Amino acid sequence: MTTATNSVGAAGTPGLAMGGNCPDLDSLSIPHSVLFVVPYEMAIEYFVLPYAVDETGRISALMAYPNEVEVLKAVQLVTNAPLKPTAVPKDIILKLIRKHYGASVERKAGEMSGSGERGVRQRMAFNKTDTTVAVVNDVMHEAIRLRASDIHWEPFEREMRVRFRIDGVLHEMMSIPSDRVAGTSSRVKVMAAMDIAEKRRPQDGKIRIAEHGHDVDVRVSTLPTDFGEKIVMRLLDKRGFDYRVDTVGLEQERLALFKRALELPNGIVVITGPTGSGKTTSLYAAINYIKKPGINISTVEDPIEYNIPGVSQTQVTLATGMTFATSLRTLLRQDPDVIMVGEMRDQETAEIAIRSSLTGHLVLSTLHTNDAPSAITRLTDMGIEPYLVSSSVTLIVAQRLVRAICEHCKCEDVVSKEVKASLGLPESVVLHRGLGCSQCGYTGYRGRTGIFEVLPVSDSLRKLINDKAYTAQIRDAAVKEGLVTLRSHAISALTQGITSLEEVVREISVIA
């Protein structure tokens, strides 16, 4: 935007007057007839709050950027009235917008976030004149534009619902009439090279589409339901991922622990957490960190999410007998230095991985547990001898993903002292939230960040493992040695203004 000086703003822009005494913001009362002269969308987009109209029709407004000519012209175009701006810091403007637009802000955010009848933005309109090919293409391109990770095509009795998963949350985008459901499903299956005549069994397929000069891989899965085939498309857009250990969200001290374990010649590094917590991203970041021309790295995955240059990646295929265990046995005859096992699902796979680490290989893998100490007991519950676990596992990283507050509409949140006390926070701490704007699709969030618990296996913990200690005993000992728990890191992200109370409560309900 072009910045204007005060003199240009006053004289060069028609009907514009600069300056004026700033009203008492604490006692400011704005009539609705004045407030809604500027729609909420514009107020939050340009950080402007109208508060008075004089007898000549001139609007007095608080503005974060009163010298920006483009902003001034945009506001005047909507209000069609002379404007008298007063400069106020952005953070104060955001607080006042939330206070004065009040319920309309909450309603707008609810409608646009997918919790109401509408999706993350205005719902996509279904045009009956559009061909099925055009509808499917439009949905896929819009999903990529909105950074969606998945598209859900869900048939019901009267319609097919289309939802996007954005930053881990599903948002309803459009509905397709029932008479177009079969054609839509067939179009997707044709694109994914599936058998369109087979509707009684699940199928898997792949699509590669071009989007603004780069390829996006799409993994497609179908599932028969009462009213047709439900289809889920996983969008794998390499532009949206940064596979570097320095950017996954680990704080410096724990990042150093992670790097140290990756630099060891052998041992097992385990990443644990529920589905959708970013485990694969962390594994790929680890591989990129240790990848060098002089190291042979091989992976066994189900499925291969992204192709990593210079790394031999093997897809698990049950139809041909290529399980994790059989693939891992074969890899050991391929002279590997580093092995990545997508998941240790059973005793056989876990045992081979552990013995591989004991014979001079660095092994990276994942488990599904709630926290880091639970990974140890999960391995022993799978039938692995405690002495093998204690002598092979060097580091366990438990993780979650929380949505990050949109920086454009970030403002102070109003939280009661009782809620703060329940989280162990002092009353004076300032928490934040996103109001919702066009930058974040009116959700208040844009992107996600990691919450981590990094547990190095020390000598004292090895003794506890050999003694078959309970998870709680291992956790207590780890905390005494300095373990920062998932809960502690989540609350730290909250107090730093990275994420919101809503997101932390959602995660703490699981990890507390």
Side-chain angles (χ1 to χ4, degrees):
M1 287 186 280
T2 305
T3 303
T5 63
N6 283 8
S7 58
V8 172
T13 304
L16 177 65
M18 289 296 296
N21 294 326
C22 185
D24 182 355
L25 301 183
D26 292 330
S27 60
L28 185 65
S29 178
I30 308 175
H32 277 205
S33 59
V34 174
L35 184 67
F36 288 98
V37 165
V38 175
Y40 167 70
E41 291 89 345
M42 173 163 274
I44 195 69
E45 190 75 16
Y46 295 114
F47 308 114
V48 55
L49 181 71
Y51 65 88
V53 178
D54 64 19
E55 62 278 0
T56 67
R58 184 173 60 176
I59 299 170
S60 296
L62 306 175
M63 299 185 69
Y65 304 108
N67 293 328
E68 296 283 357
V69 171
E70 292 179 18
V71 172
L72 295 168
K73 286 183 177 179
V75 175
Q76 285 186 287
L77 185 64
V78 169
T79 60
N80 195 30
L83 190 65
K84 180 182 178 181
T86 299
V88 174
K90 175 185 169 181
D91 59 335
I92 295 177
I93 284 279
L94 285 169
K95 188 185 297 185
L96 291 171
I97 286 174
R98 184 183 182 205
K99 175 183 176 182
H100 291 284
Y101 281 87
S104 65
V105 175
E106 305 297 335
R107 184 172 63 253
K108 185 70 176 177
E111 289 175 348
M112 305 302 279
S113 68
S115 59
E117 291 297 317
R118 301 203 280 181
V120 66
R121 296 172 185 259
Q122 289 289 353
R123 291 182 66 197
M124 299 174 64
F126 178 82
N127 190 334
K128 291 184 179 180
T129 62
D130 286 343
T131 65
T132 299
V133 171
V135 171
V136 173
N137 288 347
D138 286 349
V139 168
M140 294 176 66
H141 290 306
E142 184 69 0
I144 294 169
R145 186 181 73 82
L146 294 177
R147 305 173 294 106
S149 61
D150 301 86
I151 305 172
H152 289 237
W153 309 77
E154 302 166 309
F156 296 101
E157 187 173 7
R158 294 184 176 85
E159 64 182 12
M160 171 180 271
R161 181 174 64 180
V162 179
R163 294 194 290 173
F164 294 172
R165 187 177 295 279
I166 303 172
D167 294 334
V169 178
L170 282 169
H171 304 271
E172 185 173 346
M173 301 306 297
M174 69 182 296
S175 295
I176 297 174
S178 58
D179 61 344
R180 299 285 293 273
V181 170
T184 301
S185 298
S186 294
R187 171 57 185 165
V188 174
K189 291 167 71 176
V190 166
M191 294 175 70
M194 295 178 176
D195 182 356
I196 62 172
E198 179 56 75
K199 301 179 181 180
R200 297 171 300 173
R201 292 186 300 179
Q203 297 186 65
D204 294 306
K206 289 182 179 181
I207 303 171
R208 174 166 288 184
I209 60 176
E211 182 73 13
H212 298 303
H214 74 284
D215 290 335
V216 177
D217 291 327
V218 184
R219 197 169 69 234
V220 184
S221 171
T222 69
L223 178 69
T225 71
D226 280 351
F227 302 106
E229 292 175 283
K230 176 181 177 180
I231 301 173
V232 176
M233 308 173 78
R234 169 63 58 90
L235 306 177
L236 305 172
D237 187 350
K238 292 182 180 179
R239 296 179 312 164
F241 293 89
D242 185 0
Y243 292 124
R244 292 179 296 155
V245 294
D246 297 285
T247 59
V248 296
L250 283 162
E251 295 175 354
Q252 286 303 314
E253 186 175 343
R254 283 173 285 181
L255 177 61
L257 292 173
F258 190 39
K259 288 182 175 179
R260 197 175 305 146
L262 296 177
E263 291 164 358
L264 295 174
N266 53 50
I268 293 186
V269 175
V270 179
I271 312 290
T272 186
T275 300
S277 60
K279 298 188 298 297
T280 300
T281 300
S282 294
L283 283 179
Y284 283 6
I287 287 176
N288 273 332
Y289 177 72
I290 59 181
K291 186 177 67 174
K292 297 173 185 174
I295 295 178
N296 179 17
I297 303 176
S298 298
T299 76
V300 184
E301 304 174 61
D302 183 24
I304 296 173
E305 296 276 356
Y306 290 98
N307 295 117
I308 308 174
V311 175
S312 300
Q313 296 173 265
T314 301
Q315 170 82 46
V316 168
T317 310
L318 298 181
T320 60
M322 288 289 288
T323 64
F324 275 112
T326 55
S327 299
L328 191 51
R329 284 197 191 92
T330 303
L331 280 186
L332 291 173
R333 296 194 291 272
Q334 295 283 310
D335 187 30
D337 298 298
V338 179
I339 300 171
M340 187 194 99
V341 184
E343 182 183 346
M344 293 188 286
R345 293 179 179 172
D346 51 53
Q347 178 183 355
E348 185 179 17
T349 304
E351 200 161 59
I352 297 171
I354 284 175
R355 293 192 182 277
S356 299
S357 72
L358 294 174
T359 56
H361 304 91
L362 177 63
V363 179
L364 312 176
S365 192
T366 72
L367 282 172
H368 289 277
T369 64
N370 282 337
D371 58 14
S374 298
I376 293 170
T377 49
R378 172 63 58 85
L379 287 170
T380 56
D381 288 344
M382 288 168 65
I384 308 300
E385 291 293 334
Y387 76 90
L388 290 175
V389 176
S390 66
S391 57
S392 60
V393 178
T394 56
L395 187 80
I396 304 169
V397 179
Q399 65 181 71
R400 299 287 191 280
L401 289 175
V402 294
R403 290 183 291 174
I405 297 172
C406 172
E407 289 296 329
H408 185 81
C409 60
K410 180 178 177 179
C411 73
E412 184 178 330
D413 197 4
V414 179
V415 180
S416 68
K417 62 181 181 181
E418 289 79 14
V419 171
K420 290 179 180 178
S422 69
L423 296 172
L425 299 175
E427 186 179 347
S428 59
V429 72
V430 176
L431 305 182
H432 295 82
R433 58 167 293 179
L435 283 179
C437 64
S438 63
Q439 301 289 321
C440 59
Y442 295 94
T443 63
Y445 301 97
R446 184 170 177 83
R448 290 190 287 178
T449 188
I451 301 296
F452 296 93
E453 182 176 275
V454 179
L455 175 62
V457 181
S458 64
D459 290 339
S460 59
L461 293 183
R462 288 191 176 92
K463 185 177 186 306
L464 286 174
I465 296 170
N466 289 333
D467 292 340
K468 302 181 180 179
Y470 295 115
T471 300
Q473 294 173 293
I474 296 173
R475 183 185 299 110
D476 290 343
V479 169
K480 288 179 181 178
E481 292 183 359
L483 174 70
V484 178
T485 64
L486 284 166
R487 178 189 174 95
S488 297
H489 190 190
I491 292 176
S492 174
L494 172 65
T495 57
Q496 291 176 49
I498 297 171
T499 192
S500 70
L501 178 64
E502 172 192 29
E503 286 292 286
V504 168
V505 167
R506 180 167 62 88
E507 289 303 328
I508 284 181
S509 66
V510 177
I511 63 182

